[in-house]
Amino acid sequence: MEYAGKNLFEKISEKDRFSFCDEVERLKTMGGNVLLGIMLQLHIEQSFKESFSKAAEYISMADIWYVCDIIGERVFGYGLVSRPKDTFPEIVKLFGHESDWVVRALGAGVHYATKKGLSKQYVEQIFPFLLQKGKSRNKEIKQGIGWAAKTIAKFHPAVIKSFNSEIQDKEKVGQWFRTKVRIGLNRNAYAQGNRS
């Protein structure tokens, strides 16, 4: 589907791309979300703000979790890895989005970007926004944000250490968030050969 998305992006004129994407979104298919994610990812080079806006629009119309993860990784995550300086302010704005689906998708995007090598500098800047959602009771937010927190703990344990007092604040951060961080730290320790 990614290959098909790249071919479609090249064959459909720029003025017709979003109307095509709108039609694909209306079909509500899993593969269609891959097409949307790739087409918006490729559009980042022309206008990352427009790509992010359309991604948030499509994700907010989701009726199932995988829409968030498929598009969130391919647009928000890819944007963070490829253009972190430009993308970071857009990500910050989206953390205040009214749709829980969009917030979940940000978690998927941060997970993807971290796994693909997002620098510690940006991980440190984005982690406080994850913490702000760390008391959520919404299942979708918990899954997306928890996924990002776990991945950061695995790849950047020093960032977790620097935010430890905030993470341990039970008034502001739920147990689910601490559990995800602990799992990530355990995975980091295991990868380092510390299996005790």
Side-chain angles (χ1 to χ4, degrees), residues 31-66:
N33 292 300
V34 176
L35 291 176
L36 294 173
I38 288 298
M39 290 187 74
L40 292 174
Q41 180 186 100
L42 294 169
H43 191 75
I44 284 173
E45 292 308 313
Q46 293 160 347
S47 174
F48 68 91
K49 287 185 179 185
E50 194 174 32
S51 290
F52 275 45
S53 175
K54 284 304 271 187
E57 177 186 328
Y58 295 143
I59 292 165
S60 68
M61 295 187 286
D63 55 6
I64 193 160
W65 63 270
Y66 58 73

Side-chain angles (χ1 to χ4, degrees), residues 19-173:
S19 58
F20 173 81
C21 287
D22 291 344
E23 292 301 317
V24 170
E25 189 283 328
R26 284 187 192 97
L27 296 172
K28 305 275 189 209
T29 63
M30 187 181 291
N33 292 300
V34 176
L35 291 176
L36 294 173
I38 288 298
M39 290 187 74
L40 292 174
Q41 180 186 100
L42 294 169
H43 191 75
I44 284 173
E45 292 308 313
Q46 293 160 347
S47 174
F48 68 91
K49 287 185 179 185
E50 194 174 32
S51 290
F52 275 45
S53 175
K54 284 304 271 187
E57 177 186 328
Y58 295 143
I59 292 165
S60 68
M61 295 187 286
D63 55 6
I64 193 160
W65 63 270
Y66 58 73
V67 176
C68 310
D69 298 359
I70 290 170
I71 298 175
E73 285 190 0
R74 286 169 177 81
V75 181
F76 304 149
Y78 175 83
L80 272 172
V81 171
S82 65
R83 296 178 62 168
K85 187 176 180 182
D86 295 328
T87 298
F88 184 76
E90 298 305 308
I91 294 287
V92 168
K93 286 181 205 168
L94 288 172
F95 268 105
H97 201 281
E98 61 191 19
S99 170
D100 296 337
W101 292 117
V102 172
V103 176
R104 177 190 170 119
L106 291 171
V110 171
H111 154 77
Y112 176 90
T114 303
K115 181 176 76 168
K116 294 295 184 183
L118 184 64
S119 73
K120 182 181 176 189
Q121 169 194 351
Y122 287 104
V123 172
E124 286 174 328
Q125 290 177 49
I126 214 156
F127 194 75
F129 294 95
L130 300 177
L131 276 169
Q132 287 175 8
K133 301 296 181 183
K135 191 73 173 174
S136 178
R137 294 174 185 258
N138 178 282
K139 173 183 170 269
E140 302 306 331
I141 291 175
K142 287 165 71 172
Q143 288 182 336
I145 298 300
W147 194 16
K150 180 172 61 175
T151 305
I152 287 173
K154 178 180 178 182
F155 290 97
H156 294 281
V159 171
I160 299 302
K161 186 175 182 181
S162 68
F163 285 98
N164 191 52
S165 62
E166 292 92 334
I167 294 167
Q168 299 309 321
D169 185 340
K170 293 180 182 175
E171 294 295 314
K172 295 182 180 174
V173 177

Side-chain angles (χ1 to χ4, degrees), residues 10 93 175:
E10 292 170 5
K93 286 181 205 168
Q175 182 58 44

Side-chain angles (χ1 to χ4, degrees), residues 180-196:
K180 292 294 185 179
V181 165
R182 186 180 70 249
I183 291 168
L185 290 173
N186 288 343
R187 288 182 180 173
N188 174 270
Y190 186 84
Q192 300 302 318
N194 183 0
R195 295 175 172 92
S196 55

